[in-house]
Amino acid sequence: MSNEAAMVPEDAQLTDGFHLLMEALEMNGIDTIYGLLGIPVTELGRLWQARGNRFFSFRNEQNAGYAASVAGFITKKPGICVTVSAPGFLNGLTALANATTNCFPMIMISGSSEREIVDLQQGDYEEMDQLNIARPHCKAAYRINRTEDIGVAVVRAIRTALSGRPGGVYLDIPARLFSTTMSAEDGAKSLFVPVDPAPSQLPGPDAVARAVDLIKGAEKPLILLGKGAAYAQCDDEIKALIEETGIPFTPMSMAKGLVPDTHPQCAAAARSLVLKESDVVVLVGARLNWLLAHGKGKTWGGSTKFVQIDIQANEMDSNVPIAAPLVGDIGSCVAALRAGLSGMEKPAAWASAVAEKASGNRAKLSTKLTTATPVMNYFNSLGAIREVLKNYPDINLVNEGANALDNARMIIDQYQPRRRLDTGTWGVMGVGMGSCVAAAAETGKPVVAICGDSAFGFSGMEAETITRYNLPVTIIIMNNGGIYRGDEASPEHQVSCMVFNPKTRYDQLMIALGGEGYRVTTPEELAETLDSAIKSGKPTLIDAIIDPAAGVESGRIGNLNVVSTIGKK
Ligand code: ADP
Ligand code: TZD
Ligand code: MG
């Protein structure tokens, strides 16, 4: 019997760490956990399900973590990932760091070994100083040492994950705490729900006036939507700002669909032109990081003035001077801008020049999308996929790879907010299958994943998770036989480090794991198979054979690749 239990009258009702943790999560509106069980958290999964909650049990913690982070992005509530100690914790940590990097709210809860053994390094089962290892990879790491602190710890984790710039939080729970008992009455009193965990933050009136003046004085303004804008869930407000001002907009990849890609003001197909020529760019929840060439160089015009809307004050001036910083939550900032810009004269000449360029580029692209080739390439295969997906505007699109990513992002239109889930700020491979599970679980809508064959390999075993839960997921493998390309010659007596076994049958793998599997070699077959897979709602994998020579090294970011000039002619 624990010390705490000893102080409780003998006839009192008891509770324990397991139950308090579950009640704290439930009380805070959480009904889904993504995780992988074992010592010391096995019982948590069983009890959680017995209470009628959902537990998605994965084959590797990393994928459970990616699922939790994507759930956070989609729902604006922290996604929960549960892992075992040391190796399970470390597997999950990549996903926790990725959530933090992408500003997605997530809480990773790991069981840990007993502190007195860990701290003296006496060799406990799965011993590791998890709390300190987690710290640099998330917004905050907390350990719960007493059952009566579980309530406050969960609230603290939720508030930290959601408030300001969202991100990952680590909760460390030493094994013994789960089964430690205390009075049920006192335990119940220790639990609570935070008031306003993600408070709105209003921009100052002078900051708004400065931004309004700058935008009103612009000749060639642009609105650039980032995934922060998608996350903020103020879709109508953003659409109204765009339509009332008549300013062209372009979305970053995970902001696609926030306003439909087919909207007449969408400048995505004229991206190079608008980044170079706009005189004032309004960044809405998008950082000027590598994905935007840091706001400088030949991508940009050189004298662009930025209005930046972001909740994180020190994001301003991170790369180039921000002429009009608007620090606050996107909903409040956009509402203030709308009020200030009301009745503004629309930049009609600029908007129609952009629209003309965009429609010309779309027309050029659509020719490529329908041009047949002896073996499918990225254009005609994705062209076929695009035509099918037009009929399913609420589908979730998961996308990873290099060429498979860059081309799909360009070709496939999105129609609804938060329905495109991809490799994010890090360009991380392996997010695919976790994203599929979370998207299906959180939206209840079908999912189509377009994955490079390399990308799929990072989390492919989760295809079994998808079949086990019978999720409406169709996985398309863009199978070009390798990383970027499948035609690299092998050095003598060796196997090329960039290609895979050409005998690989991803379709048969899916069948072996309890799903449906097909191999297709033409755009027509691909379209037909995809359409019936979506209609069937059954977990399906389509192995689409792509020309091994169709891809380019590093996809669209070949410029970032590093090569040696030594010893080469
Ligand atoms: P992208 O990759 O799409 O360009 P980033 O991840 O670089 O987007 O930027 C997202 C930004 O959005 C982050 O700087 C983050 O602080 C900000 N952000 C997230 N949620 C909100 C919010 N509710 N209000 C204001 N800013 C937000
Ligand atoms: N490891 C991780 C976790 N993330 C990465 N981004 C990489 C390695 C490096 N990498 C890329 O940046 S893209 C990619 C790797 C391995 C795979 C590209 O091959 P693919 O797609 O088959 O997925 P394409 O269509 O062949 O280009
Ligand atoms: Mg490939």
Side-chain angles (χ1 to χ4, degrees):
M1 192 189 278
S2 71
N3 292 339
E4 286 88 342
M7 293 184 295
V8 174
E10 264 184 23
D11 56 347
Q13 293 280 338
L14 295 181
T15 186
D16 64 11
F18 282 120
H19 288 84
L20 287 168
L21 177 62
M22 291 187 293
E23 284 160 23
L25 293 173
E26 287 167 0
M27 183 182 268
N28 281 288
I30 290 156
D31 62 7
T32 304
I33 293 179
Y34 303 90
L36 201 166
L37 299 172
I39 297 169
V41 290
T42 313
E43 185 80 345
L44 182 66
R46 294 203 184 106
L47 293 169
W48 181 252
Q49 284 189 308
R51 295 162 77 92
N53 295 311
R54 297 193 297 181
F55 193 102
F56 287 95
S57 174
F58 282 73
R59 309 300 293 260
N60 183 308
E61 293 84 354
Q62 195 178 97
N63 306 317
Y66 288 142
S69 69
V70 165
F73 170 68
I74 295 174
T75 64
K76 221 182 172 189
K77 288 194 292 188
I80 309 292
C81 173
V82 167
T83 83
V84 304
S85 13
F89 157 82
L90 281 176
N91 283 347
L93 193 58
T94 307
L96 186 68
N98 186 59
T100 309
T101 299
N102 282 282
C103 316
F104 299 159
M106 162 181 174
I107 300 171
M108 181 163 103
I109 303 173
S110 299
S112 60
S113 309
E114 300 311 334
R115 288 202 50 195
E116 57 276 17
I117 306 180
V118 174
D119 291 351
L120 270 177
Q121 298 184 18
Q122 293 176 307
D124 203 358
Y125 170 70
E126 296 192 346
E127 175 181 296
M128 175 172 273
D129 182 8
Q130 295 168 197
L131 184 69
N132 282 311
I133 290 167
R135 241 183 248 295
H137 303 291
C138 53
K139 278 184 84 178
Y142 306 119
R143 175 184 285 139
I144 316 177
N145 290 301
R146 303 182 304 180
T147 43
E148 60 264 43
D149 292 336
I150 289 174
V152 78
V154 166
V155 166
R156 214 156 150 56
I158 291 173
R159 194 180 274 286
T160 304
L162 289 180
S163 59
R165 170 179 280 173
V169 175
Y170 174 60
L171 261 189
D172 190 80
I173 308 190
R176 190 189 300 145
L177 192 83
F178 286 110
S179 58
T180 300
T181 56
M182 73 180 283
S183 134
E185 196 186 335
D186 292 347
K189 279 193 217 146
S190 71
L191 305 181
F192 67 105
V193 175
V195 176
D196 198 10
S200 31
Q201 294 186 30
L202 273 65
D206 50 336
V208 175
R210 195 183 296 121
V212 164
D213 283 351
L214 194 60
I215 297 168
K216 278 188 177 167
E219 279 175 17
K220 299 175 172 183
L222 173 73
I223 293 174
L224 205 156
L225 304 172
K227 59 172 123 60
Y231 170 78
Q233 293 195 17
C234 52
D235 314 333
D236 293 344
E237 196 76 51
I238 288 172
K239 186 156 182 267
L241 173 75
I242 288 168
E243 292 182 344
E244 287 163 6
T245 60
I247 299 176
F249 74 94
T250 188
M252 299 299 286
S253 70
M254 285 180 73
K256 271 167 71 81
L258 174 47
V259 180
D261 285 333
T262 48
H263 190 282
Q265 284 167 257
C266 182
R271 194 169 189 266
S272 312
L273 173 100
V274 291
L275 296 192
K276 195 150 201 81
E277 292 203 3
S278 294
D279 55 354
V280 172
V281 174
V282 185
L283 300 165
V284 188
R287 287 169 285 187
L288 281 175
N289 55 16
W290 69 278
L291 287 157
L292 284 169
H294 304 280
K296 26 186 188 195
K298 57 183 181 355
T299 307
W300 296 89
S303 56
T304 319
K305 290 200 161 52
F306 291 100
V307 175
Q308 182 161 26
I309 301 180
D310 206 294
I311 203 152
Q312 179 84 8
N314 69 352
E315 186 56 43
M316 306 299 149
D317 307 328
S318 59
N319 285 271
V320 293
I322 299 299
L326 266 186
V327 176
D329 73 275
I330 291 169
S332 302
C333 291
V334 171
L337 274 188
R338 271 183 74 197
L341 292 170
S342 145
M344 165 185 137
E345 196 186 327
K346 294 185 176 180
W350 163 241
S352 69
V354 172
E356 200 177 312
K357 178 77 182 166
S359 77
N361 285 349
R362 280 178 81 96
K364 268 189 237 161
L365 178 66
S366 83
T367 313
K368 282 195 194 172
L369 301 184
T370 47
T371 304
T373 45
V375 185
M376 277 193 291
N377 63 18
Y378 288 96
F379 291 107
N380 49 31
S381 56
L382 287 163
I385 295 170
R386 167 165 115 155
E387 289 310 303
V388 174
L389 296 187
K390 267 184 188 164
N391 305 318
Y392 303 95
D394 61 356
I395 204 127
N396 294 282
L397 188 84
V398 169
N399 193 194
E400 59 178 341
N403 295 278
L405 176 85
D406 295 336
N407 290 301
R409 181 180 55 236
M410 173 177 68
I411 293 167
I412 311 283
D413 289 323
Q414 302 284 150
Y415 305 91
Q416 292 185 7
R418 297 170 292 284
R419 288 292 158 89
R420 183 181 155 87
L421 308 160
D422 67 24
T423 54
T425 302
W426 266 351
V428 61
M429 299 299 118
V431 288
M433 296 304 107
S435 302
C436 287
V437 173
E442 302 295 342
T443 69
K445 300 286 180 189
V447 183
V448 172
I450 301 177
C451 304
D453 50 342
S454 166
F456 174 72
F458 286 74
S459 64
M461 199 60 203
E462 302 297 350
E464 189 277 327
T465 309
I466 290 166
T467 64
R468 182 165 20 107
Y469 290 96
N470 196 26
L471 299 174
V473 174
T474 307
I475 305 159
I476 303 169
I477 309 289
M478 304 295 280
N479 187 356
N480 67 341
I483 301 177
Y484 314 138
R485 291 171 72 99
D487 63 347
E488 189 158 307
S490 293
E492 211 180 337
H493 308 305
Q494 292 193 52
V495 178
S496 161
C497 49
M498 301 302 280
V499 305
F500 302 131
N501 189 341
K503 290 186 185 157
T504 308
R505 294 297 301 249
Y506 297 102
D507 53 333
Q508 292 179 5
L509 173 76
M510 189 66 173
I511 295 166
L513 295 176
E516 310 285 317
Y518 303 93
R519 169 171 272 211
V520 301
T521 55
T522 65
E524 296 73 30
E525 252 185 311
L526 174 53
E528 208 176 294
T529 314
L530 173 60
D531 192 57
S532 58
I534 297 172
K535 287 207 174 85
S536 77
K538 290 184 192 162
T540 305
L541 185 149
I542 304 172
D543 188 14
I545 304 302
I546 307 291
D547 184 348
V552 294
E553 176 114 348
S554 302
R556 285 291 164 79
I557 51 173
N559 58 312
L560 300 181
N561 205 18
V562 186
V563 291
S564 169
T565 51
I566 305 297
K568 288 187 188 164
K569 295 226 176 91

